[in-house]
């Protein structure tokens, strides 16, 4: 059975599968487009609309439309529509459903086995939420894959690793609502995310905003006595739509005219590529600053040159992106299907995964007629994990991390800790997860994810030792075992770094099957 790759994007999503000749192919949606807006419209209790029609519904019924739900993945932030609360996983599940239903219409075959891509910076909770969104949608999620890795697969940037030896790849991803830069290294067979950085609130829609503001200005200048077109939701939504169209068109041509309509008046505004570049220069400059930070961090970690610089995300179609990277860094970036590359790469990865699963089941690669790729993609911890401890001399509380971000999973780390008082009869083990982008020992920069209490025998002096073993597997199961060695007393704390329980997922799947989704 065919396997599918899904790019569940912040603003646009895309689905691809491997075609009969082994190449990834994007499947168009029912509207005939390669990508589908990640927008969900809760029309009524039993009918949900996804994609362009949902985006269009924003004008008429904005309170029932959800955009940018990806930003909430991994957080318990339900939204209520028609008397029912929907988690981010459930909302994302409806996007996935639309994608695979349309894929089925395109191929005539049920899409069930999928790999879904996630940003490289997604922690285990967000990855788990993405998996569960897939399960709610009734899919078998073979794996999740980091978006830059998927993109690099589609670009073929990892293919000739065997001949070329170690490689370093910089992925610059400017999407609709986010910007990410990631450095990947391929050493021998091992592919790793060396570092990743970005801005969660910087993307193509900020470019649209600038164009909208400019168009509204021109309209106001022309009709000083008319109302502001931005004060009317309907005119504003139309303007946003036209501005995005104009921006896209200007990636391929020099001029484009938008007719700004409001209260029966019309002003034709001519835009040029140069003008839009001027209006958005500072946005692009911000991506340059972040890229420079990433390049510097990669250098600190031993990578000072890149074999490939890959452009990903629809907004990199703007010629100014490649030109700016060339001018600022001397890069020769590659640009090819930047808004489809992640889904296509996820499909390649899905094929590899399915084949490996089959090999493990004993079928062997020969039988599938496919060849193994010459590398192993290692899953790394996206955050650090540790416990909260108290400095025995100063009384200061801080966090000691045993597992660090980018440690290859599965990871198992053992460390000794000590009591701080004479005759201390118990120690509280507080398991902490790094909260920010960088590891910090400040408790405030970490989130408590679980706790337990270990008994210590009576009469022991302070600094009495006990042992902690942290084990984190690739699926996000964190297991902490604390042991008092003299008595053998031990406690075990298991944390699933993720959100919804299996029951909640099952329930959500049943609820969704009763809804019409189109
Ligand atoms: P996501 O961020 O959800 O992963 P994409 O990578 O598809 O989504 O990027 C979407 C962004 O790309 C949107 O802001 C869209 O307007 C922009 N975009 C798509 N095509 C073009 C184009 N030809 N020129 C400029 N921007 C484009
Ligand atoms: Mg994307």
């Amino acid at each position: 059975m065919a396997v599918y790759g899904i790019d569940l994007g912040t603003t646009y999503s895309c689905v691809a599968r491997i075609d009969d000749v082994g190449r990834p192919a994007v499947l168009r949606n029912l509207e005939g487009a390669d990508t589908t807006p990640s927008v969900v419209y809760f029309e009524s209790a039993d009918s949900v609309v996804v994609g362009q029609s949902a985006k269009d519904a924003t004008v008429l019924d904005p309170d029932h439309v959800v955009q940018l739900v990806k930003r909430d993945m991994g957080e318990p932030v339900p939204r209520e529509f028609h008397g029912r609360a929907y988690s981010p996983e459930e909302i994302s599940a409806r996007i996935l459903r639309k994608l695979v239903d349309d894929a089925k219409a395109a191929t005539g075959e049920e899409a069930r086995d999928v790999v879904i891509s996630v940003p490289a910076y997604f922690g285990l909770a967000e990855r788990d939420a993405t998996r569960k969104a897939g399960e709610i949608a009734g899919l078998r999620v073979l794996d999740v894959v980091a978006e830059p890795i998927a993109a690099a697969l589609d670009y073929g940037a990892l293919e000739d690793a065997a001949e070329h030896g170690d490689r370093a790849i910089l992925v610059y991803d400017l999407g609709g609502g986010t910007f990410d830069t990631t450095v990947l290294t391929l050493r021998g067979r091992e592919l790793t995310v060396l570092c990743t950085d970005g801005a969660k609130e910087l993307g193509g829609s900020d470019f649209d905003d600038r164009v909208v503001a400019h168009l509204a200005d021109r309209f106001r200048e022309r009709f000083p006595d008319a109302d502001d077109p931005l004060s009317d939701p309907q005119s504003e939504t139309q303007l946003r739509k036209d501005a995005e169209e104009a921006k896209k068109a200007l990636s391929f041509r020099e001029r484009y005219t938008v007719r700004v309509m409001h209260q029966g008046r019309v002003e034709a505004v001519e835009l040029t590529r140069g003008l839009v570049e001027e209006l958005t220069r500072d946005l692009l400059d911000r991506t340059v600053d972040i890229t420079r930070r990433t390049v510097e961090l990669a250098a600190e970690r031993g990578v000072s040159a890149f074999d490939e610089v890959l452009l990903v995300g629809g907004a990199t179609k703007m010629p100014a992106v490649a030109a700016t990277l060339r001018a600022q860094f001397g890069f020769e970036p590659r640009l090819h299907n930047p808004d489809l590359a992640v889904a296509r790469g996820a499909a390649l990865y899905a094929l590899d995964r399915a084949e490996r699963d089959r090999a493990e089941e004993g079928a062997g690669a020969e039988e599938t007629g496919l060849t193994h790729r010459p590398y192993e993609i290692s899953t790394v911890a996206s955050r650090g994990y540790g416990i909260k401890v108290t400095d025995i001399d100063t009384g200061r509380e801080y966090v000691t991390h045993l597992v660090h971000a980018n440690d290859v999973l599965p990871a198992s780390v053992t460390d000794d800790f000590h009591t701080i008082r004479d005759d201390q009869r118990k120690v509280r083990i507080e398991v902490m997860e790094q909260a920010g982008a960088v590891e910090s020992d400040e408790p405030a920069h970490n989130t408590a994810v679980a706790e337990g209490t270990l008994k210590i025998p009576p009469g022991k002096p302070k600094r009495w030792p006990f042992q902690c073993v942290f084990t984190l597997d690739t699926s996000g199961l964190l297991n902490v075992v604390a042991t008092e060695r003299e008595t053998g007393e031990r406690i075990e704390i298991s944390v699933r770094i993720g959100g919804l329980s299996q029951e909640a997922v099952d329930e959500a799947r049943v609820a969704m099957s009763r809804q019409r989704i189109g």
Side-chain angles (χ1 to χ4, degrees):
M1 195 164 70
V3 287
Y4 292 75
I6 299 180
D7 172 5
L8 184 57
T10 310
T11 59
Y12 286 88
S13 295
C14 181
V15 54
R17 69 161 182 178
I18 305 300
D19 69 14
D20 302 335
V21 287
R23 273 192 306 248
V26 167
L27 302 169
R28 296 225 164 108
N29 61 21
L30 284 182
E31 295 77 35
D34 286 331
T35 60
T36 301
S38 306
V39 184
V40 183
Y41 172 36
F42 289 85
E43 192 178 29
S44 67
D46 49 16
S47 173
V48 175
V49 176
V50 178
Q52 189 57 51
S53 314
K55 204 171 170 179
D56 295 343
T58 316
V59 187
L60 300 169
D61 195 4
D63 295 345
H64 290 102
V65 176
V66 185
Q67 309 224 29
L68 310 174
V69 67
K70 188 170 179 175
R71 289 193 178 149
D72 294 341
M73 289 298 262
E75 313 265 353
V77 281
R79 297 179 216 218
E80 199 175 305
F81 301 104
H82 309 292
R84 188 181 186 282
Y86 294 88
S87 62
E89 290 89 330
E90 290 180 283
I91 297 169
S92 301
R94 281 149 179 85
I95 300 171
L96 292 169
R97 194 69 251 165
K98 153 85 174 162
L99 295 171
V100 296
D101 283 350
D102 285 9
K104 183 180 173 188
T107 64
E109 142 195 295
E110 192 80 45
R112 194 176 58 99
D113 292 356
V114 304
V115 164
I116 307 173
S117 61
V118 291
Y121 62 80
F122 259 24
L124 290 169
E126 294 95 320
R127 281 168 203 250
D128 183 64
T130 304
R131 250 177 208 282
K132 285 182 173 149
E135 288 168 20
I136 293 168
L139 303 171
R140 203 161 81 99
V141 184
L142 303 177
D143 206 347
V144 294
V145 63
E147 286 160 9
I149 291 181
L153 284 171
D154 185 50
Y155 269 103
L158 309 173
E159 224 106 90
D160 42 11
E163 301 109 75
H164 293 83
D166 292 359
R167 284 168 78 75
I169 299 153
L170 179 85
V171 180
Y172 173 106
D173 182 346
L174 186 59
T178 51
F179 170 66
D180 307 296
T181 45
T182 306
V183 175
L184 305 173
T185 58
L186 188 57
R187 296 205 166 95
R189 284 162 49 90
E190 194 165 297
L191 178 62
T192 312
V193 174
L194 184 71
C195 55
T196 183
D197 200 345
K200 285 188 191 174
E201 313 266 326
L202 173 61
S205 74
D206 297 300
F207 290 68
D208 302 347
D209 289 345
R210 298 294 171 81
V211 178
V212 168
H214 176 79
L215 294 171
D217 281 349
R218 293 288 84 81
F219 183 90
R220 281 187 221 111
E221 268 173 31
R222 176 77 170 73
F223 303 110
D225 47 329
D227 287 351
D228 182 354
L230 298 183
S231 63
D232 170 46
Q234 199 142 345
S235 299
E236 196 214 333
T237 308
Q238 188 59 45
L239 209 51
R240 283 202 68 81
K241 206 172 160 178
D242 294 339
E244 187 179 0
E245 272 320 304
K247 174 196 71 176
K248 288 185 186 175
L250 287 168
S251 293
F252 304 102
R253 44 196 272 201
E254 292 292 338
R255 289 163 197 287
Y256 188 90
T257 300
V258 178
R259 289 159 54 81
V260 184
M261 281 182 276
H262 181 55
Q263 293 179 323
R265 302 190 218 198
V266 186
E267 168 71 344
V269 182
E270 191 191 55
L271 299 171
T272 62
R273 185 188 293 167
L275 172 67
V276 171
E277 287 178 0
E278 228 171 84
L279 294 172
T280 57
R281 174 54 55 192
D282 61 306
L283 298 172
L284 213 47
D285 286 346
R286 274 185 66 200
T287 73
V288 168
D289 293 343
I290 294 168
T291 304
R292 186 160 289 124
R293 217 157 71 193
T294 309
V295 167
E296 283 165 7
L297 185 57
E300 273 170 36
R301 296 184 180 176
V303 169
S304 50
F306 302 101
D307 301 286
E308 304 262 15
V309 175
L310 309 178
L311 298 186
V312 180
T316 61
K317 291 184 191 173
M318 293 184 289
V321 171
T324 302
L325 293 176
R326 222 172 273 131
Q328 294 287 330
F329 300 98
F331 292 156
E332 275 310 323
R334 287 172 65 194
L335 176 71
H336 183 68
N337 289 329
D339 48 349
L340 313 180
V342 170
R344 291 164 49 106
L348 287 167
Y349 182 75
L351 180 70
D352 187 57
R353 251 334 277 256
E355 188 194 328
R356 249 189 274 177
D357 288 352
R358 240 166 302 182
E360 267 168 34
E361 281 161 23
E366 288 83 1
E367 280 176 51
T368 65
L370 302 165
T371 50
H372 265 290
R373 284 165 202 289
Y375 49 77
E376 293 291 334
I377 296 174
S378 56
T379 307
V380 294
S382 32
R383 310 235 166 115
Y385 294 90
I387 66 173
K388 191 154 99 181
V389 296
T390 304
D391 186 294
I392 196 166
D393 299 318
T394 65
R396 174 182 171 249
E397 287 194 320
Y398 63 98
V399 175
T400 295
H401 295 91
L402 286 86
V403 176
H404 306 275
N406 292 324
D407 281 359
V408 174
L409 301 182
S412 186
V413 183
T414 305
D415 208 347
D416 268 348
F417 294 87
H418 305 88
T419 59
I420 54 172
R421 284 186 305 276
D422 288 333
D423 195 27
Q424 183 175 337
R425 298 295 303 279
K426 52 190 181 191
V427 284
R428 201 150 68 100
I429 316 278
E430 281 183 88
V431 182
M432 308 294 282
E433 179 182 54
Q434 166 189 342
V438 264
E439 193 174 293
S440 155
D441 70 359
E442 274 306 320
H445 299 159
N446 293 270
T447 317
V449 290
E451 61 170 60
T453 303
L454 178 70
K455 283 195 212 130
I456 304 288
K460 299 299 178 196
K462 67 179 171 191
R463 296 185 201 277
W464 186 254
F466 61 96
Q467 186 191 57
C468 280
V469 183
F470 269 54
T471 311
L472 183 59
D473 75 6
T474 54
S475 76
L477 190 69
L478 176 66
N479 201 58
V480 178
V481 177
T483 315
E484 197 292 306
R485 264 171 280 184
E486 193 182 83
T487 56
E489 177 81 28
R490 81 200 266 283
I491 57 160
E492 189 169 339
I493 310 168
S494 277
V495 202
R496 158 77 46 200
I497 309 296
L500 297 185
S501 66
Q502 196 54 50
E503 296 81 70
V505 168
D506 293 341
E507 208 177 69
R509 183 170 48 231
V510 173
M512 192 168 111
S513 67
R514 298 208 189 97
Q515 255 172 359
R516 189 160 46 84
I517 294 165

